[in-house]
Amino acid sequence: LIKTALLLQYPTTPAGITANVSSSTSIVVSWKPVPQDYANGVVLGYRVLFAAAAEPQAKHNFTVHFNFSAFEINGLMKFTNYCVQVLAFTKKGYGKMSDCLYALTDMGGSKNYIVLVADSLLVSFPLEDVRKVIVSDCECMKIIYVTADKNVNVKAIFAVRN
């Protein structure tokens, strides 16, 4: 009973959260305001948190005034998968953070070609759009993908230089 009373001090998670890519370096996040019956006080604002899916510990956040229900995150990396979350807050503290919504920024003018065949995935794109890491005598490319059950996977592809 005491535990329930403590939880009711904070606002619930905003509903209807969306994360839509608006360019190769920006994502628009929107949500529905927390209804007064679930605010548990006066909602002062919202926090929009985001991080590259490959680096979830490196979260960034912005505070948004309570009158707004959308925010555009700019200056993101091209062709990068981001986890976006939203929470509401009152003078008593922060409400529960939403689950991650994933949004993959565009490549910036290049076309992506994705072909699904049974249980495999073939992705084709111009080589100049691939971020490469040079490690001694190897060119390495990191492939990051998120499965339907929200597991982040990282695969490295190595090609020995001539």
Side-chain angles (χ1 to χ4, degrees):
L1 184 66
I2 293 171
K3 194 173 192 179
T4 303
L6 290 174
L7 289 175
L8 293 177
Q9 293 181 27
Y10 306 105
T12 61
T13 304
I17 301 170
T18 62
N20 296 303
V21 174
S22 55
S23 77
S24 60
T25 59
S26 59
I27 296 171
V28 174
V29 183
S30 64
W31 58 90
K32 293 180 181 172
V34 174
Q36 186 58 42
D37 292 347
Y38 297 97
N40 299 311
V42 176
V43 172
L44 300 175
Y46 299 91
R47 301 270 332 242
V48 176
L49 299 94
F50 69 96
E55 299 174 14
Q57 72 283 357
K59 283 195 176 166
H60 305 277
N61 67 77
F62 291 95
T63 301
V64 180
H65 192 270
F66 75 91
N67 281 338
F68 294 95
S69 59
F71 183 78
E72 185 168 28
I73 305 169
N74 294 301
L76 301 174
M77 293 183 293
K78 293 179 181 180
F79 198 54
T80 301
N81 199 27
Y82 285 91
C83 162
V84 179
Q85 297 171 288
V86 180
L87 60 83
F89 64 91
T90 64
K91 70 178 183 177
K92 293 182 181 179
Y94 294 107
K96 184 176 182 258
M97 193 179 319
S98 68
D99 291 334
C100 273
L101 285 176
Y102 292 96
L104 178 64
T105 53
D106 295 333
M107 292 178 67
S110 300
K111 298 290 181 194
N112 299 347
Y113 299 99
I114 301 176
V115 179
L116 289 170
V117 180
D119 61 350
S120 65
L121 172 70
L122 171 65
V123 180
S124 172
F125 43 84
L127 193 55
E128 65 270 11
D129 289 333
V130 176
R131 276 180 262 156
K132 296 181 203 170
V133 179
I134 307 299
V135 180
S136 38
D137 288 333
C138 275
E139 281 192 8
C140 309
M141 181 173 31
K142 192 172 9 175
I143 307 294
I144 302 164
Y145 61 96
V146 179
T147 60
D149 57 358
K150 297 183 181 177
N151 290 323
V152 176
N153 296 284
V154 178
K155 301 288 182 194
I157 299 173
F158 299 92
V160 178
R161 284 194 273 157
N162 295 333

